[in-house]
């Protein structure tokens, strides 16, 4: 069978892996040593890991993050989450069909004594915010323990292969996310007062002021004087018909599979959500050689940065604004998607349905702060702080800043540091999280001579590496602020540094020096998996992907260090300033099926709780009978009682309550209880009471 | 003008909900006042769902036998699934003394006609496969006891009371009574006042406080208990398992596999943790999992899904306090349900309705002796 793995990647290095064998339902399959069972299965083309015990429908990977248990398989007789369990030589893996059998193990259990540790500060989460805080605390010499449930530090940055926005000095803009993660982690490792525990999941902050942590499968208790919640966010899901099918998942799961595990989980992907996460997900897909059939966004324009959306459209990916998903169609796994245009009230417009063949649907419709550790610590009376996405959903650059602020705040509260928090830190944290602002027109370049950059970055976003990289200091934002759009004025020498650093791939150079009538345009290019060489005819497009003309490549300069090439074409003067890039994905990829598949409009068949298979209709009926308490809805339907602990359905039910016209203040939220993730009973060591 | 009801029930919990349904079936106008935002949100939903009639005295046995009948036939009579299972109860004995105590108790239980038998260690292994055999003397087994979901049961009662026109005031707390002579004239809440023919105090944890509003001292002292539930797995053992031994930090502990396939478990802290505190402690999971795995290693790979904490509204002797007040003639107390309010609930609801409407039988009078509010509270139940 064909192995669905990335053999090359334009940004990521593909190491030489050692291979082992394992069995799935009796069949011998290859796996990479130390990879997760789920990735090994997906690389072998297996996407259905089991069947739900309630309705027998297929289940597969969903969160790829240990939170939901939909990826459960039976490994050597024991039900495990395949996304969190490493595959082993000759492991016998079976699909989890129905309720698993508990293995017959009658040997007595050994109980290790419980280990308790003291720390001044406990940081939960090793993403940009937790790491930035740790650097501050480490510099102040404060005894700090940072825990993260992953095998590697960096949080979501680990999955980000694109260049980051922001400014160079404050947040390493222009550097790729995963590299920023490594830089921060290295800095933290230098700090002698900071201890780092990887593969360590916080389970709960208990009322007796102890935090339960499962470290490498061993349960420990931490007595922390202060806690920083830097645990990030979780992705939201959507209600639509067929939302329970296998091969529907979030951007985080997708990026984990593609960018961390280097597997190719899909051939044809459709994306829902035009925020940065969805837009970037699409871009990462193309870099992994995956066809992106389209992207739908409910609002009239994408909420993510325009440069991201533009980049996609130029590659040939259609973006359907004012569109939403109507259904995922298929037997066990996704075979196609039906999208529909929606009106201003988000109601589908009949007759506008379009169906596209695809094998996977990515849901990227926003994030929700992981607030529970803050609430638990408050209830336990432990001073608690939050930073990054756990505090407020924003970009990594702002997470770094407010992590830094919180780190110093804690150091001050510990009485170790007395310096004030620089006022400008607050200002920067504020700017960096700004939503995109106004869209402006192009700068007017009268003189068509010499060489100069055309800046196709037309929307105000907090980003300016182009202004700091220019050796002749010729690029400035309109008013000098980070948010304003950059403008060129000065003396370009045609070095191309701005072309290479721009995270939006939104700067080209036009060089009239050789031939005023047919200037040379330099375009940045990062998708070397679609190779480009001198002589290739390119379909050149403008900023939003509109076709301009065909022209041959005259030069390709690869810059291996930044994984970006400069591709040069020679084009007529009238079009030179409009050329931004070229189409790589053929239009046939995005063709709709001749007939749209429109199921009966029974959107209430959609699942609202995937864990317990509770439909939207069941919950809607309760809401209409006057029940607005999530605990009561849970008691009656079991929505929220499954393995994920209401992490997915809570937001969906709240959305339904809103749709039914219930004011937020009348909604009683779910009571949050231990444990954060399911833990086998024998992980708990010798317990007594104090 | 305050609204007038035949019956006002304080508390929509394990006791208040069944009482409301039974009273409403007699066409009484019933109001239930509940300080939480919905029905069953206090201790009712904290119960793990164990239901047994195999107690040691006439009162509890009779009420629970009736509860079992109601629960068992619920689906047939009312049409809703409440997850009832006749999976039985078992008390394995790991020392001769406990075996003796249990077998002595069985004699009393047999005298009440209860179906309970003594199983050899091997026979016990048949219904709880893999249970620790070392030191096992045998186990009681009462196959007609069982379990059901307190969440579903509470909701089912709630919806049927609505059909019978019971009114609810949620998010509303009773904060006092206006007394006139030996009667409650008005029930005062933080939002309104209501006039009632009869008032039932079914306020669970707060029963004592409600008593005080009527000048009574009801000895109800809540203590904290934590419980947990695992992922579901294919059914692998039958009955509720109760290990009655003491160990450092805990008295007994118990667990069973519910109708969803999930193992539900609970431990009794020793010494008790008095008061009301619903926050989870770090001690519960290590304490309880150790005791469970010691006698049942097979549970080791089972994953804990959720834990929670609630209270047993305890009385000094472990028996509920149920009956019409002598001092306040239209107040009926149905409080101090200890660790058994869920299983007592359905039977108790019917009994309460008979108290309200003066329909008590001889047997009822005998039952109520066990729960007499004016008893000495010095005895101790043979077996809690
Ligand atoms: C697809 C995508 C694209 C993005 N693109 C950009 C971009 O271009 N530019 C930009 O600036 N930002 C971008 N971001 C956002 C950025 O990645 C996040 O804002 C940032 O990572 C948040 O940092 P954080 O430290 O709050 O949380 P995270 O990076 O999420 O880190 C939290 C860490 O805590 C761990 N954790 C969670 N729960 C527990 C627990 N119970 N016990 C132990 N550890 C736990 C998590 O596993 C994780 O490692 C993107 C995000 C996504 C998803
Ligand atoms: C962990 C645990 C496990 C248990 N397991 C079992 C079991 O397996 N089997 C079993 O039979 N029992 C079990 N129990 C015991 C059982 O839960 C209780 O005995 C039972 O719920 C008590 O019923 P109740 O109606 O008295 O109290 P509740 O169900 O708590 O109802 C009392 C109601 O009164 C309301 N209230 C209080 N004060 C006021 C006021 N001033 N105004 C308005 N409303 C008020 C409260 O909000 C509450 O809803 C368990 C208990 C715990 C904690
Ligand atoms: S996909 Fe593995 S736990 Fe969610």
């Amino acid at each position: 069978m064909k192995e669905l793995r990335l053999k090359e990647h334009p940004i990521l290095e593909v190491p030489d892996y050692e291979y082992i064998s394992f069995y799935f339902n009796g069949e011998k399959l290859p796996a990479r040593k130390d990879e997760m069972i789920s990735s090994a299965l997906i690389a072998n083309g297996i996407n259905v890991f089991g069947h739900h015990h309630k309705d027998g429908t297929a289940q597969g990977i969903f969160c790829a993050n240990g939170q939901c248990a939909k990826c459960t398989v039976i490994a050597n007789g024991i039900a495990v989450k395949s996304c969190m369990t490493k595959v082993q030589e000759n492991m016998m893996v079976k699909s989890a069909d129905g309720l698993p059998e508990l293995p017959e193990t009658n040997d007595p259990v050994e109980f290790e004594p419980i280990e308790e540790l003291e720390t001044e500060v406990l940081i939960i989460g090793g993403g940009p915010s937790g790491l930035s805080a740790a650097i501050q605390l480490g510099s102040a010499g404060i005894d700090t323990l940072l825990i993260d449930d992953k095998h590697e530090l960096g949080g979501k940055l680990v999955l980000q292969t694109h260049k980051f926005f922001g400014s160079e000095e404050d947040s390493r803009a222009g550097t790729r996310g995963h590299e920023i993660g490594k830089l921060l982690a290295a800095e933290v490792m230098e700090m002698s007062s900071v201890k780092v525990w990887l593969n360590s999941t916080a389970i709960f902050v208990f009322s007796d002021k102890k935090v339960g942590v499962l470290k490498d499968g061993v349960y420990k208790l931490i007595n922390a004087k202060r806690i920083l919640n830097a645990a990030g966010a979780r992705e939201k899901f959507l209600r639509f018909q067929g939302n329970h099918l296998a091969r529907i998942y979030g951007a985080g799961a997708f990026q984990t599979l593609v960018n961390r595990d280097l597997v190719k989980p899909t051939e044809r992907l459709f994306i829902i959500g035009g925020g940065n996460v969805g837009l970037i997900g699409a871009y990462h897909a193309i870099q992994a050689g995956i066809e992106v059939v389209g992207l739908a966004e409910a609002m009239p324009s994408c909420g993510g940065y325009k440069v991201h959306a533009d980049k996609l459209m130029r590659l040939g990916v259609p973006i359907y604004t004012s569109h939403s998903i109507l259904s995922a169609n298929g037997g066990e796994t996704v075979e196609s998607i039906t999208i529909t245009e929606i009106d201003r009230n988000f109601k589908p417009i009949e007759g506008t349905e379009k169906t596209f063949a695809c094998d996977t649907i990515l849901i990227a419709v926003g994030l929700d702060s992981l607030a529970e550790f803050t609430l638990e610590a408050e209830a336990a009376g432990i001073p608690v702080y939050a930073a990054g996405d756990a505090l407020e959903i924003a970009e990594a650059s702002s997470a770094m800043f407010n992590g830094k602020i919180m780190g110093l705040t804690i150091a001050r509260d510990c009485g170790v540091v007395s310096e004030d928090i620089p006022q400008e830190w607050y200002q920067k944290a504020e700017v960096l999280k700004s939503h995109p602002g106004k869209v402006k027109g192009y700068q007017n370049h009268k003189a068509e001579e010499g060489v100069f950059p055309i800046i196709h970055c037309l929307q105000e976003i907090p980003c300016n590496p182009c202004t700091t990289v220019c050796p002749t200091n010729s690029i400035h934002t309109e008013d000098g602020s980070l948010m304003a759009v950059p403008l060129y004025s000065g003396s370009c020498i045609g070095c191309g540094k701005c072309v290479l650093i721009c995270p939006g791939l939104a700067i080209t150079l036009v060089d009239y020096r050789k031939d005023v009538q047919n200037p040379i345009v330099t375009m940045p290019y990062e998708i070397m998996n679609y190779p480009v060489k001198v002589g290739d005819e390119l379909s050149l497009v403008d900023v939003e992907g509109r076709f301009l003309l065909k022209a041959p490549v005259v030069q390709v300069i690869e810059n291996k260090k930044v994984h970006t090439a400069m591709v040069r074409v020679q084009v007529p003067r009238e079009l030179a300033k409009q050329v931004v890039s070229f189409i790589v994905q053929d239009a046939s990829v995005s063709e709709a099926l001749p007939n749209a598949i429109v199921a009966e409009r029974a959107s209430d068949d959609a699942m609202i709780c995937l864990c317990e298979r509770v439909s939207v209709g069941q919950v809607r009926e309760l809401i209409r009978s006057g029940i607005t308490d999530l605990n009561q809805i849970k008691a009656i339907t079991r929505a929220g009682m499954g393995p994920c602990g209401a992490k997915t359905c809570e937001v969906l039910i709240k959305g339904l309550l809103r749709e039914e016209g219930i004011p937020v203040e009348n909604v009683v939220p779910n009571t949050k209880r231990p444990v954060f993730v399911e833990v086998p009973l024998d992980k708990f060591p010798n317990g007594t009471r104090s | 003008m305050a609204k007038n009801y035949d019956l006002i029930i304080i508390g929509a919990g394990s006791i208040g909900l069944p009482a409301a349904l039974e009273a409403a079936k007699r066409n009484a106008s019933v109001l239930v006042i509940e300080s939480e935002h919905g029905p069953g949100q206090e201790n009712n939903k904290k119960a793990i769902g164990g239901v047994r009639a195999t107690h040691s005295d006439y009162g509890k046995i009779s009420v629970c036998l009736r509860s079992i009948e109601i629960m068992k036939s619920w689906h047939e009579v009312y049409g809703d699934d409440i997850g009832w299972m006749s999976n039985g109860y078992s008390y394995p004995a790991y020392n001769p003394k406990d075996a003796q105590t249990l077998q002595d108790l069985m004699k009393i239980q047999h005298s009440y006609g209860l179906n309970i038998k003594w199983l050899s260690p091997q026979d016990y292994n048949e219904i709880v496969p893999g249970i620790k055999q070392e030191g096992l003397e045998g186990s009681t087994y009462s196959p007609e006891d069982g379990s059901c979901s307190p969440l579903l049961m509470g909701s089912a009662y709630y919806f049927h009371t609505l059909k019978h026109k019971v009114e609810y005031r949620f998010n509303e707390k009773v904060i006092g009574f206006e007394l006139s002579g030996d009667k409650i004239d008005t029930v005062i809440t933080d939002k309104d006042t209501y006039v009632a023919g009869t008032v039932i105090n079914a306020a669970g944890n707060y029963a004592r406080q409600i008593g005080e509003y009527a000048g009574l001292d009801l000895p109800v002292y809540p203590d904290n208990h934590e419980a947990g539930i695992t992922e579901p797995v294919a059914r692998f053992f039958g009955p509720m398992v109760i290990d009655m031994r003491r160990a450092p930090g805990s008295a007994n502990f118990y667990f069973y596999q519910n109708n969803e396939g999930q193992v539900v478990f609970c431990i009794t802290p020793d010494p008790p943790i008095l008061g009301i505190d619903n926050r989870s402690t770090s001690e519960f999971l290590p304490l309880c999992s150790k005791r469970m795995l010691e006698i049942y290693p097979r549970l080791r790979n089972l994953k804990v899904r959720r834990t929670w904490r609630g209270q047993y509204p305890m009385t000094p002797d472990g028996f509920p306090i149920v009956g019409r007040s002598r001092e306040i003639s239209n107040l009926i107390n149905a409080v101090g349900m200890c660790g058994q309010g869920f299983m007592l609930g359905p039977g108790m609801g019917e009994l309460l309705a008979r108290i309200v409407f003066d329909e008590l039988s001889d047997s009822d009078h005998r039952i109520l002796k066990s729960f007499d509010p004016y008893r000495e509270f010095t005895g101790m139940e043979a077996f809690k």
Side-chain angles (χ1 to χ4, degrees), chain A residues 442-594:
Chain A
Y442 271 104
Q443 192 181 355
N444 203 356
H445 298 275
K446 288 217 175 70
E448 294 187 340
E449 58 186 31
V451 56
F452 57 85
I454 304 287
I455 298 174
H456 309 275
C457 169
L458 305 175
Q459 183 190 39
E460 294 174 341
I461 53 172
C463 183
N464 71 358
C466 54
T467 64
T468 47
V469 79
C470 178
T472 62
N473 205 10
S474 300
I475 304 179
H476 300 274
T477 60
E478 240 173 343
D479 60 3
S481 74
L482 182 59
M483 260 314 261
V485 295
L487 299 175
Y488 166 76
S489 65
S491 43
C492 177
I493 53 169
C495 68
K497 284 195 170 143
C498 55
V499 176
L500 288 177
I501 204 167
C502 173
L505 305 188
I507 302 182
T508 54
L509 288 182
V510 184
D511 190 344
Y512 298 91
R513 288 175 298 189
K514 269 202 192 128
D515 182 345
V516 178
Q517 289 313 318
N518 293 291
I520 291 179
V521 179
T522 304
M523 309 173 287
Y525 186 62
E526 296 187 316
I527 318 202
M528 260 69 84
N529 48 319
Y530 291 87
V532 173
K533 54 184 191 311
V534 174
D536 288 355
E537 274 276 295
L538 299 181
S539 298
L540 300 175
V541 292
D542 76 355
V543 63
E544 290 181 348
R546 281 172 292 254
F547 177 76
L548 295 171
L549 78 160
K550 280 189 188 245
V553 176
V554 297
Q555 193 183 18
V556 179
I557 307 165
E558 269 197 63
N559 186 323
K560 288 242 159 48
K561 193 160 145 264
V562 295
H563 301 276
T564 309
M566 293 196 281
V567 177
R568 293 197 165 139
V569 288
Q570 195 163 14
V571 298
R573 205 183 75 191
E574 311 81 70
L575 292 175
K577 285 186 287 192
Q578 291 177 51
V579 167
V580 185
S581 188
F582 48 92
I583 295 171
V584 303
Q585 185 176 277
D586 201 81
S588 63
V589 169
S590 306
E591 271 168 25
L593 296 177

Side-chain angles (χ1 to χ4, degrees), chain A residues 53-54 72 78-81 99-111 114 204-208 210 219 221 379-381 612 622 625 627 629 631-632 634-638 640-646 668 671 673-675 677-690, chain B residues 37-39 41 45-46 129-131 149 151-152 155 158-159 162 170 226 229-236 248-250 258 260-262 265 268-273 277-283 285-287 289-294 296-309:
Chain A
H53 66 275
K54 293 249 149 114
T72 299
I78 299 171
V80 297
K81 293 172 181 169
L99 286 180
E101 301 272 343
L102 199 61
E104 289 185 29
T105 42
N106 296 340
D107 302 337
V109 180
E110 305 282 337
F111 298 95
I114 196 158
F204 201 78
V205 185
F206 292 102
S207 65
D208 43 355
K210 290 176 189 169
Y219 187 70
L221 291 174
E612 293 288 336
L622 289 180
S625 79
I627 296 175
D629 176 351
N631 297 284
Q632 208 182 341
K634 174 164 77 178
I636 298 167
T637 63
R638 292 186 66 84
M641 275 195 208
C644 91
V668 184
T671 315
R673 298 253 160 233
V675 284
V677 289
E678 294 181 317
V679 183
L681 278 170
D682 69 353
K683 297 293 181 205
F684 296 100
N686 203 348
T688 48
R689 276 177 62 200
S690 48
Chain B
H37 30 71
Q41 294 299 316
K45 76 169 181 190
K46 311 290 177 69
I131 191 87
S149 157
L151 300 166
L152 294 178
S155 306
Y158 174 63
F159 285 116
L162 290 181
F170 291 120
E226 282 180 77
I229 189 160
T230 69
E231 63 180 331
V233 292
R235 182 150 294 287
F236 66 105
S250 60
N258 72 11
E260 296 277 339
Q262 300 175 277
F265 52 94
T268 304
D270 181 37
I273 307 166
D277 184 350
N278 286 319
R279 300 173 307 161
S280 299
T281 69
S282 72
E283 288 172 348
L285 275 171
L287 193 68
S289 67
K290 179 188 178 191
R291 292 209 64 186
M292 287 200 292
L293 298 190
E294 258 168 9
Y296 207 6
R298 180 167 300 187
L299 302 174
R300 67 190 315 160
N301 293 310
L302 206 50
K303 298 186 210 68
V304 180
R305 178 170 288 179
R306 208 91 65 237
T307 73
W308 62 90
R309 201 179 201 215

Side-chain angles (χ1 to χ4, degrees), chain A residues 65 67 124-131 147-150 152-157 159-160 162-165 200-203 230-233 235 251-252 255 276-278 280-281 284 305 308 367 370 373 387-391 393-400 676:
Chain A
N65 194 19
Q67 307 275 311
I124 305 176
S129 65
L131 290 171
I147 61 166
D148 193 282
D149 56 358
K150 299 289 160 0
E152 192 183 340
L153 284 175
K156 290 279 186 296
L157 290 178
L159 310 174
Q160 308 307 334
H162 55 284
K163 291 175 201 153
F164 265 40
F165 293 78
S200 301
T201 308
I203 296 298
E235 288 172 81
Q255 291 180 335
N276 279 340
V277 172
I280 290 169
H284 290 172
Y305 295 168
H308 279 319
L367 304 171
L370 217 148
F373 296 117
D389 281 349
L391 175 70
I393 304 300
E395 293 288 293
S397 43
S398 123
M400 279 178 240
F676 183 74

Side-chain angles (χ1 to χ4, degrees), chain A residues 38 49 60-72 80-85 249 253 643-644 677:
Chain A
S38 54
F49 295 178
I61 197 107
F62 186 70
C63 71
N65 194 19
Q67 307 275 311
C68 75
K70 292 184 179 54
C71 64
T72 299
V80 297
K81 293 172 181 169
S82 63
C83 71
M84 298 299 278
T85 312
Y249 40 77
C644 91
V677 289

Side-chain angles (χ1 to χ4, degrees), chain A residues 296-350:
Chain A
E297 161 61 47
M299 303 302 286
S301 68
C302 283
Y305 295 168
K306 178 168 159 49
V307 284
H308 279 319
D310 289 351
K311 202 158 70 175
L312 272 189
M313 293 192 286
R314 293 196 294 263
L315 291 170
V317 176
I319 295 182
Y320 301 91
T321 50
S322 296
H323 273 74
S324 187
I325 180 167
L326 197 60
S327 63
N329 317 309
E332 293 213 311
T333 65
V334 173
E335 288 160 22
S336 67
I337 181 173
T338 304
I339 62 167
T340 173
E341 203 175 325
I342 51 179
D343 64 18
R344 256 182 293 153
N345 303 315
F346 301 103
K347 293 273 172 284
I349 302 173
E350 225 168 305

Side-chain angles (χ1 to χ4, degrees), chain B residues 4-8 26-31 195-199 356-357:
Chain B
N4 204 322
Y5 295 88
D6 295 337
L7 176 64
I8 289 180
R26 289 164 170 81
N27 292 320
S29 60
V30 182
L31 174 72
V195 175
T198 304
V199 175
V356 174
F357 297 98

